[in-house]
Amino acid sequence: MQAGLIGRDGECAAIGRHVAAARAGRGGLVLLAGEAGVGKTSLARHALASSGIATLEGRAYQGITLPYGPLVAALRAREPRATDDPALGERVARALALAVPDPAAPGGGERAALFEGLRAAFAALAAREPVAVVLDDLHWADSATLELLPALVSALGQAALLLLAIYRSDEIPRGHPVRRLRGDLRRIGQFEELAVEPLDREQTARLIARTLGDEPGPLLAAAVYDRTEGVPFFVE
């Protein structure tokens, strides 16, 4: 078992394989799906930290539809370093300026220029060192982000870059933009998805024991499992 996680060995190993592929210059996008509270974000952070790859995070927020919000947040999360090539900072700054344009600037935010700016920024980051970009709560992302991702992942297929996009599988009804994203990724041969399932009864009992600091009795373990259906957030 991976230290600190219960019942996630297979998922951690799968993410580790994708990290290894990115390090070898076979970048891509992996969707991480599961219901609310199942531990998708914790799994992603743990697996990436264990791999040692540099990681950036961007998140979408319910009711806040910032254009290209998760991608912009991920770029902003990258702290400048004294050892950086000045051109790297310029590429990141240009991508941010295109994604969040000055309203007074003519032609600001033009789609082709924006795409090239983001591609160049992420490519420059990956050229410096292998990097994983976590895009969390993708089910709340703006449509511009979701429409851009298939083209971005195709353009960065030879970069040392792993995009790990997390969404709630119970929050995408018929017609949801994430469903269209999944279809677009299938059409271009870039569909990779890991499903994060609830814990089983034995794993739930182990999580109860860790939370309480003592082994639960069989009645307590059964009651907690029946009430939570093995969703770690509710178990804890």
Side-chain angles (χ1 to χ4, degrees):
M1 184 186 72
Q2 297 283 338
L5 290 180
I6 291 173
R8 301 302 186 209
D9 287 4
E11 293 90 338
C12 284
I15 292 173
R17 289 192 292 271
H18 287 292
V19 169
R23 288 186 189 279
R26 301 190 305 277
L29 183 148
V30 178
L31 297 171
L32 197 61
E35 63 184 278
V38 81
K40 303 177 295 298
T41 303
S42 295
L43 166 63
R45 288 173 175 167
H46 176 84
L48 294 174
S50 298
S51 76
I53 193 171
T55 302
L56 304 175
E57 288 192 27
R59 176 185 295 272
Y61 295 93
Q62 187 174 22
I64 303 176
T65 54
L66 298 174
Y68 311 101
L71 293 167
V72 168
L75 286 176
R76 284 180 169 158
R78 208 284 187 170
E79 296 290 340
R81 304 174 189 174
T83 56
D84 281 347
D85 180 344
L88 173 59
E90 291 173 6
R91 289 189 181 98
V92 171
R94 173 171 168 74
L96 290 174
L98 287 165
V100 190
D102 179 352
E110 183 180 345
R111 184 178 178 85
L114 169 64
F115 171 77
E116 177 54 26
L118 288 170
R119 186 210 63 76
F122 283 115
L125 290 172
R128 189 188 188 285
E129 62 181 339
V131 62
V133 178
V134 177
L135 305 175
D136 206 354
D137 286 332
L138 204 67
H139 51 281
W140 288 329
D142 59 290
S143 58
T145 295
L146 298 176
E147 291 169 3
L148 191 69
L149 283 177
L152 190 62
V153 70
S154 292
L156 294 170
Q158 302 302 312
L161 178 77
L162 172 63
L163 295 168
L164 191 58
I166 303 172
Y167 75 92
R168 293 182 185 175
S169 54
D170 53 341
E171 296 255 0
I172 54 165
R174 185 183 298 274
H176 192 283
V178 168
R179 290 190 181 272
R180 293 197 292 275
L181 168 65
R182 295 168 82 243
D184 291 342
L185 291 171
R186 282 194 180 93
R187 280 190 288 276
I188 63 174
Q190 297 285 351
F191 182 74
E192 295 282 347
E193 184 169 275
L194 294 175
V196 184
E197 303 292 345
L199 304 178
D200 62 24
R201 288 183 179 273
E202 185 272 334
Q203 293 162 349
T204 298
R206 288 161 57 196
L207 181 55
I208 297 170
R210 190 178 71 182
T211 303
L212 297 179
D214 195 10
E215 293 294 328
L219 292 179
L220 174 61
V224 171
Y225 181 79
D226 290 342
R227 287 289 296 274
T228 66
E229 297 182 336
V231 176
F233 178 81
F234 299 126
V235 173
E236 291 179 332

